[in-house]
Every structure is written in C-alpha cells, then in structure tokens.
Amino acid sequence: MAVTGWLESLRAAEKTALLQDVRKWRVKSALGALGQWQIEVGEPAPHGAGNLGPELIKESNANPIFMRKDTMMCFQWRIRNLPYPKDVYSVYVDQKERCVVVRTTNKKYYKKFSITDLDRYQLPLDDSLLSFAYANCTLIISYQKPKEVLVAESELQKELKKGQPLLFQELYRLCKNWPGALLAPCIMDFSPE
C-alpha cells in the first residue's frame, strides 16, 4: 500500500531540523546537487527588508497570497487579499485532473492546486469533504482528512518522537529564552538522501 511506502521513505530520509508548522522538501538534481527548498505546508520565510533581488522589482503586497496551513482534522489552504464577497467564489474538485479549483464568477481570480498528501497515498478526491469559508479578505478552503491519512500521520508523529527526542529538547531549551519565541508543536523538515 502507498501509505507504508511513504512512511518507509520518511524513515530513510535525512532529518535536518525541527521547524514550526512547516513541511518542506529538498530534492537532489541529476548531478547530485541539492535543489531549492519546496514548501509544502506553511509559509515561506519573508525576504529581508530592502532585499529586492537582482531585478529590483518587488511584487505588490495587495496580490493574493496562497499558502497551506493544516489542522489536526483538515488540510487547509488560505488565500489572502481576496476582496470579493463569499458568493462570488466557486470551489470544487476536478476529478479528471485530481485537483481543487478556485474561481470567481467575475473572472478576477482562478487557481488550481493538488492535494499532495492524497496523491502520495494514492487516495481518491471526494467533493463532499471539501468546504470553504470567507472572512477578513481571506478565503479558507478545508478538505477533511481521510481516515488513512490520519492513521499515517499518527504513525509519523510516533516516528518523529522516537527518532529525535534530544534535538527537540535542545531546541525547546534554546527557544524558551528567546524574546518573542513561539513555542508551538513542531514538525520535522526532511531532506531525502
């Protein structure tokens, strides 16, 4: 089954750090060099102030911002800076392409995204598990986690607790003295070997 294969690959992966509410991957290229980080869950670190990059162009902070923030029972995506009322949005599952589609009736916003966890476990998408809400210019899309994913995540949490207890204790000891440190549940950051 795909779930056990995924857990085995995580057990074999090189665990590099404990990060707060972030899951990101780094894959080696064909020549063996490590590629860029690909963020799956969480928000990327903000770029430094005044760091505009080589193009000297900065994207507007009024553009929609798409990010994934999971809860215990749901996969959840947030799209900030969407100023339209809730009845303008249409959120549905596209079975043919195995993705979730967000569109507005006024044709001002369109987004397609896959649920990588369901693809990884080779589970079907179910339209009845999808819901959305709108508040404070943010569209919140939720997809209830299937039972197989919940079981796999509990196995993963057991593996993480078993594998790196000293690292977490050391991180906690260091973080509790930092001003403004947020001490929330952490998950591992994996780099496959």
Side-chain angles (χ1 to χ4, degrees), residues 68 77 97-100 112-117 119 125:
R68 180 173 162 185
W77 298 266
E97 295 190 33
R98 288 192 50 82
C99 64
V100 177
K112 288 169 47 173
F113 59 93
S114 63
I115 304 176
T116 53
D117 294 80
D119 292 342
L125 293 171

Side-chain angles (χ1 to χ4, degrees), residues 4-84:
T4 56
W6 173 243
L7 286 173
E8 289 304 317
S9 66
L10 287 179
R11 286 186 183 109
E14 175 189 348
K15 289 100 177 151
T16 58
L18 284 168
L19 298 175
Q20 179 172 332
D21 298 329
V22 174
R23 186 186 318 150
K24 60 184 184 175
W25 306 95
R26 197 171 191 181
V27 181
K28 288 185 180 180
S29 69
L31 298 175
L34 289 175
Q36 295 291 325
W37 287 104
Q38 306 226 339
I39 296 175
E40 185 175 322
V41 178
E43 195 168 6
H47 299 292
N51 183 10
L52 299 179
E55 305 87 22
L56 299 176
I57 297 175
K58 183 178 177 184
E59 87 178 74
S60 171
N61 61 357
N63 284 351
I65 300 169
F66 179 81
M67 61 182 281
R68 180 173 162 185
K69 288 279 194 183
D70 290 352
T71 64
M72 292 293 281
M73 301 305 288
C74 292
F75 301 118
Q76 195 173 82
W77 298 266
R78 294 169 183 257
I79 308 172
R80 294 188 199 145
N81 298 334
L82 290 176
Y84 315 110

